[in-house]
Amino acid sequence: MSARSTLRALPTLLRIGVSEAVAYRAEMFVWVLSTTMPLIMMALWTAVAREAPVGAYGSQDFVRYFLAAFVVRQMTGAWAAWMINYEVRQGTLAMRLLRPISPLWGYAAENLGAMPMRLFVVVPIASFAVYTVGWRSVPETVWGWAFFLVSLFGGWLITFLVNVAIGTLSLYMESSTKLMDVWLALFFVCSGYLYPVDLFPPVWRTIIDWLPFRYQIGLPVELMTNAHGFGEALGLLGRQWLWVGLMLVISLGLWNRGLKRFAAFGG
């Protein structure tokens, strides 16, 4: 299918994604509840910082950071790895392959279609952050908003493409869900989801700066809370989009080679 035809099909795919998100809103509510770890960490770290600041973070800084982390987590989530695993094992991937558009566009549209529903959670939390700890809870400049939105999209792309790459590995092995569990464990430690990356020792901080995890959550959170000046933010965005490009090459390479191994039988 040509790029032009794909672009023409995308609005329909997105409408289907929104409809599915509305139909399965109870399931999405459960998913939101399962991603409240930043709120738990906020209570923990603000209690610690009440005695004395931790690094550059006081109590209000932790409130600002973890509310932003909760918002960013909602907007960068993806679940394509589990869908691909399931459809490869059940053979239902064959139904997607019969359509005149790559299944990857379908997975992306289903993930993005959930965004309007997530805004019902994100907007009140962001408003609460502004009300409780001030306007530094959101970008204070026009370029800050632009960089934040670009980083948010970049964070979602890295998450989605990693999901595609790991999900596609199920075409090479019985199941790749355990690999996804390993990735998630590293993600929780290195992404800034449980604590700010700034709190790592310098050596670990240098390593984390070159890994993709920080650019899934930590960078959008830092840009949302005005942690960087223009030049530093631009450099970090460059690193994030290098990871987007690298993950795009890896995931498409694995997908195209893996499809040659796919076989499904009807009964």
Side-chain angles (χ1 to χ4, degrees):
M1 196 176 193
S2 68
R4 184 179 179 184
S5 299
T6 300
L7 290 175
R8 290 173 59 185
L10 273 181
T12 302
L13 291 174
L14 289 172
R15 281 198 295 273
I16 294 172
V18 172
S19 300
E20 288 183 347
V22 173
Y24 296 103
R25 54 189 178 277
E27 183 179 336
M28 180 160 296
F29 178 69
V30 172
W31 185 85
V32 170
L33 291 180
S34 71
T35 57
T36 53
M37 184 56 75
L39 304 183
I40 297 171
M41 299 307 292
M42 180 178 71
L44 174 65
W45 282 104
T46 51
V48 172
R50 200 166 292 129
E51 300 295 330
V54 180
Y57 291 84
S59 293
Q60 287 201 340
D61 297 315
F62 278 122
V63 172
R64 186 178 294 115
Y65 181 91
F66 284 113
L67 289 178
F70 180 79
V71 167
V72 170
R73 180 75 172 108
Q74 302 308 312
M75 301 304 291
T76 56
W79 54 88
W82 291 274
M83 294 177 68
I84 296 172
N85 259 282
Y86 176 81
E87 293 183 359
V88 168
R89 297 183 68 178
Q90 297 297 317
T92 53
L93 179 63
M95 299 300 293
R96 289 185 183 266
L97 293 172
L98 290 174
R99 299 172 185 171
I101 187 170
S102 170
L104 297 184
W105 286 108
Y107 295 129
E110 288 167 17
N111 280 212
L112 289 173
M115 295 301 176
M117 288 290 290
R118 294 182 186 182
L119 286 176
F120 284 105
V121 178
V122 165
V123 171
I125 292 295
S127 303
F128 177 74
V130 171
Y131 177 75
T132 53
V133 287
W135 283 101
R136 286 187 60 78
S137 303
V138 293
E140 294 181 309
T141 60
V142 174
W143 67 262
W145 274 106
F147 281 14
F148 166 63
L149 294 175
V150 170
S151 71
L152 201 61
F153 186 50
W156 177 80
L157 276 174
I158 293 175
T159 305
F160 175 74
L161 292 172
V162 166
N163 268 257
V164 169
I166 295 178
T168 301
L169 291 178
S170 61
L171 291 163
Y172 299 85
M173 58 183 72
E174 185 178 352
S175 172
S176 62
T177 54
K178 295 300 181 186
L179 288 176
M180 196 64 206
D181 291 341
V182 173
W183 176 275
L184 284 176
L186 293 171
F187 165 81
F188 289 140
V189 173
C190 302
S191 68
Y193 183 60
L194 299 181
Y195 31 79
V197 174
D198 295 348
L199 301 183
F200 277 94
V203 174
W204 284 102
R205 170 72 183 279
T206 302
I207 296 172
I208 287 172
D209 280 349
W210 288 101
L211 296 176
F213 307 105
R214 178 188 180 188
Y215 304 102
Q216 292 181 261
I217 291 284
L219 179 60
V221 170
E222 293 160 17
L223 294 179
M224 185 174 176
T225 53
N226 306 282
H228 302 296
F230 182 87
E232 189 178 5
L234 192 61
L236 290 168
L237 273 179
R239 288 187 188 181
Q240 183 192 46
W241 282 84
L242 280 177
W243 271 110
V244 171
L246 181 61
M247 292 312 305
L248 182 65
V249 171
I250 292 173
S251 60
L252 289 182
L254 287 172
W255 175 261
N256 290 330
R257 291 177 65 87
L259 284 184
K260 297 175 183 175
R261 305 166 60 93
F262 178 68
F265 303 92

